[in-house]
């Protein structure tokens, strides 16, 4: 469903089997050799998610991408797995868009998790100008997702992102404000054995 020009919500994009496999990958990554952590951002506040960047690290202090986590432990961002890149391409194509992802931000939200309304605008100027989409995949508990306009004061619409849903915003929607106001506990499919929510956002820095 196209909820705005360039913004597409695909309800139930991933089968339960694919969700189970992807949750396994996410678990291994967030508790792996380069673990997810709670970033402290520019103003000094803690984010309300555990974050792990793949391919490139997003630095919450500088709002820039870098190869190693200079705002945290100096470890290198793990590589973006080839099957993640393929999934991002598949979802973008369903929206009639092209994405050759070179990074992914993997976030884990517990029952208290949330993310303030913001724009995704730290990718390269060329990528942003071309409207190369962000592709988002949700797993586990449902999120109340807010999708606004090009200006912070524009009205926002609230939608539920459920486990297996994909959301794509590119072209004229690429710089729209968005955020997560709350997680709805105990809504994950039982087969996932997951309390909380994983969200993956695939992006293309280089163009
Ligand atoms: C984000 O905006 O980076 C994450 C969105 C989400 O968790 O659905
Ligand atoms: Mn975002």
């Amino acid at each position: 469903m196209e909820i705005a020009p360039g913004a597409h919500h695909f309800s139930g994009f991933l089968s339960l089997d694919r969700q189970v496999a992807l949750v396994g990958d996410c678990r291994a990554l967030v508790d792996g050799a380069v673990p997810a952590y709670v970033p402290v951002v520019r103003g000094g506040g803690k984010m309300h998610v555990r974050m792990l960047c793949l391919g490139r690290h997003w630095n919450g202090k500088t709002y820039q991408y870098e190869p190693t986590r200079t705002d945290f432990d100096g470890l290198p961002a793990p590589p973006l797995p080839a099957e993640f890149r393929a999934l991002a391409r598949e979802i973008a194509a369903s929206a009639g868009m092209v994405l050759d992802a070179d990074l992914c931000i993997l976030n884990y939200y517990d029952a208290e998790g949330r993310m303030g309304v913001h724009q995704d605008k730290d990718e390269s100027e060329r990528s942003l100008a071309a409207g190369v989409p962000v592709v988002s995949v949700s797993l586990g508990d449902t999120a109340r997702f807010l999708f606004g306009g090009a200006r912070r004061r524009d009205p926002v619409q609230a939608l539920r992102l459920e486990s297996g849903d994909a959301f794509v915003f590119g072209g004229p929607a690429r710089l729209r404000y968005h955020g997560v106001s709350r997680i709805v506990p105990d809504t994950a499919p039982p087969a996932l054995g997951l309390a909380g929510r994983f969200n993956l956002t695939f992006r293309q820095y280089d163009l």
Side-chain angles (χ1 to χ4, degrees):
M1 185 157 106
E2 189 164 21
I3 66 155
H8 303 253
H9 179 198
F10 298 100
S11 200
F13 188 94
L14 292 175
S15 67
L16 192 54
D17 284 354
R18 292 182 85 184
Q19 293 175 49
V20 168
L22 206 48
V23 165
D25 294 339
C26 292
R27 280 203 168 103
L29 283 162
V30 299
D31 292 320
V34 181
Y37 71 106
V38 178
V40 175
V41 292
R42 217 144 51 181
K46 276 189 180 178
M47 290 183 75
H48 298 275
V49 295
R50 276 182 79 199
M51 185 180 88
L52 176 65
C53 301
L54 310 170
R56 278 175 197 265
H57 175 67
W58 180 78
N59 182 318
K61 290 263 169 61
T62 63
Y63 285 39
Q64 288 179 347
Y65 288 101
E66 60 190 14
T68 59
R69 315 201 294 190
T70 66
D71 60 328
F72 184 57
D73 56 8
L75 291 173
L80 179 67
E83 60 274 20
F84 279 26
R85 177 175 295 136
L87 173 62
R89 184 187 303 277
E90 175 190 347
I91 294 169
S94 299
M97 298 185 198
V98 176
L99 174 62
D100 187 11
D102 51 18
L103 76 105
C104 172
I105 301 182
L106 168 57
N107 286 315
Y108 172 74
Y109 297 74
D110 66 15
E112 309 298 315
R114 58 191 156 86
M115 190 174 293
V117 171
H118 65 278
Q119 288 173 298
D120 288 3
K121 58 176 182 189
D122 301 325
E123 295 72 33
S124 73
E125 265 178 50
R126 286 185 66 192
S127 178
L128 296 174
V132 177
V134 173
V135 162
S136 152
V137 171
S138 296
L139 298 163
D141 286 340
T142 297
R144 185 170 187 269
F145 182 69
L146 304 177
F147 195 66
R151 294 163 305 180
R152 190 177 282 280
R153 64 180 180 277
D154 288 341
V156 296
Q157 50 182 310
L159 48 140
R160 290 162 66 91
L161 291 183
E162 297 181 354
S163 193
D165 287 7
F167 192 84
V168 179
F169 53 107
R174 180 59 176 77
L175 290 174
R176 283 194 175 224
Y177 280 86
H178 59 278
V180 172
S181 59
R182 66 179 293 251
I183 299 298
V184 190
D186 302 317
T187 49
L192 300 183
L194 177 65
R197 171 179 186 253
F198 286 118
N199 175 262
L200 304 108
T201 50
F202 302 98
R203 305 137 191 257
Q204 183 173 347
Y205 185 92
D206 273 325
L207 185 64

